[in-house]
Amino acid sequence: SYELTQPPSVSVSPGQTARITCSADALPKQYAYWYQQKPGQAPVLVIYKDIERPSGIPERFSGSSSGTTVTLTISEVQAEDEADYYCQSADSSDTYVFGTGTKVTVL
Amino acid sequence: EVQLVQSGADVKKPGESLKISCKGSGYSFTSHRIAWVRQMPGKGLEWMGIINPGDSDTRYSPSFQGQVTISADRSANTAYLQWSSLKASDTAMYYCARRRGWRSGWQYFDYWGQGTQVTVSS
């Protein structure tokens, strides 16, 4: 198995940009997916296949990938974006892993 | 409308057994695998295992292998997570989630249950 490491927290002012990284400790790199989880709620998918955005997710959410690190970017952050964010990946043997999670605080 | 509806919260004593459920509707239940995810109080998401409701083929995270049993009843469109002997450390929120697909790039969880809170306390 492998691990996905995220920064524990990111703080950002409204209207600014938040960037959350997710680093894998093993190759080969698989696709990454990102979830948003607000208190008391189930996670919601915000990015799939590294860079794709599901329907209904605001355009300010975007993803990128470089080497074994993927990044979730939230542009023009709004108060409602305050939440925990998790990356997730899978391997060819149908096993899955979640990242350590990042708490985004909107100042 | 795709829905995963989980059984209600439960309070158990250490050593007791428990089986919680996740009922799918609005889609072909045997066409998508169902995963179970643990979230301990104030902590992150942990993948526990995944089952193919069509043939009950199951994969477990090494962290949970032997600690829990995942099963499914395709006639009831329901997946289950069970413990034979609960510990206080099993206190957590448990989510079921539907896997979108098997191909690389589609191995994400697109629908989630509302969660089942399990509390184990003497």
Side-chain angles (χ1 to χ4, degrees):
Chain A
S1 63
Y2 56 97
E3 295 184 352
L4 299 177
T5 303
Q6 301 178 230
S9 63
V10 167
S11 297
V12 60
S13 299
Q16 300 302 302
T17 297
R19 293 182 179 84
I20 306 165
T21 57
C22 172
S23 299
D25 68 347
L27 290 172
K29 177 187 166 300
Q30 304 292 326
Y31 281 113
Y33 315 95
W34 289 94
Y35 301 87
Q36 175 194 70
Q37 186 183 32
K38 296 183 178 180
Q41 297 182 20
V44 173
L45 181 78
V46 294
I47 293 289
Y48 68 97
K49 216 172 178 180
D50 287 353
I51 63 172
E52 303 293 337
R53 191 174 52 252
S55 61
I57 300 302
E59 291 184 8
R60 62 181 183 273
F61 288 89
S62 63
S64 61
S65 176
S66 177
T68 57
T69 298
V70 292
T71 301
L72 173 69
T73 299
I74 313 173
S75 305
E76 300 181 349
V77 166
Q78 300 181 9
E80 66 195 50
D81 300 329
E82 186 163 286
D84 294 325
Y85 292 84
Y86 297 91
C87 58
Q88 174 248 310
S89 193
D91 67 20
S92 56
S93 64
D94 204 20
T95 58
Y96 301 79
V97 62
F98 287 97
T100 50
T102 299
K103 181 177 181 58
V104 170
T105 300
V106 181
L107 301 171
Chain B
E1 178 193 9
V2 174
Q3 283 192 310
L4 295 175
V5 178
Q6 297 184 228
S7 48
D10 220 323
V11 180
K12 292 289 189 180
K13 289 181 167 49
E16 292 186 330
S17 63
L18 176 65
K19 191 174 188 178
I20 64 175
S21 65
C22 169
K23 184 174 176 62
S25 63
Y27 73 101
S28 172
F29 188 67
T30 56
S31 296
H32 295 266
R33 299 189 181 217
I34 295 289
W36 286 95
V37 177
R38 183 176 79 173
Q39 188 166 39
M40 298 178 75
K43 301 299 184 182
L45 304 174
E46 300 174 88
W47 177 73
M48 302 176 70
I50 193 166
I51 188 166
N52 178 350
D55 62 8
S56 291
D57 179 52
T58 307
R59 296 280 187 272
Y60 292 94
S61 162
S63 300
F64 293 93
Q65 180 81 49
Q67 307 304 308
V68 298
T69 300
I70 294 171
S71 61
D73 179 352
R74 62 184 185 180
S75 68
N77 285 1
T78 302
Y80 303 94
L81 176 66
Q82 69 180 84
W83 296 259
S84 59
S85 181
L86 286 159
K87 303 184 284 289
S89 57
D90 292 319
T91 294
M93 179 70 79
Y94 293 88
Y95 293 100
C96 63
R98 189 186 84 159
R99 190 190 71 173
R100 172 63 176 82
W102 60 269
R103 286 188 294 181
S104 181
W106 300 96
Q107 294 169 297
Y108 57 86
F109 305 111
D110 56 354
Y111 289 92
W112 293 67
Q114 82 277 19
T116 296
Q117 176 66 45
V118 173
T119 303
V120 184
S121 174
S122 55

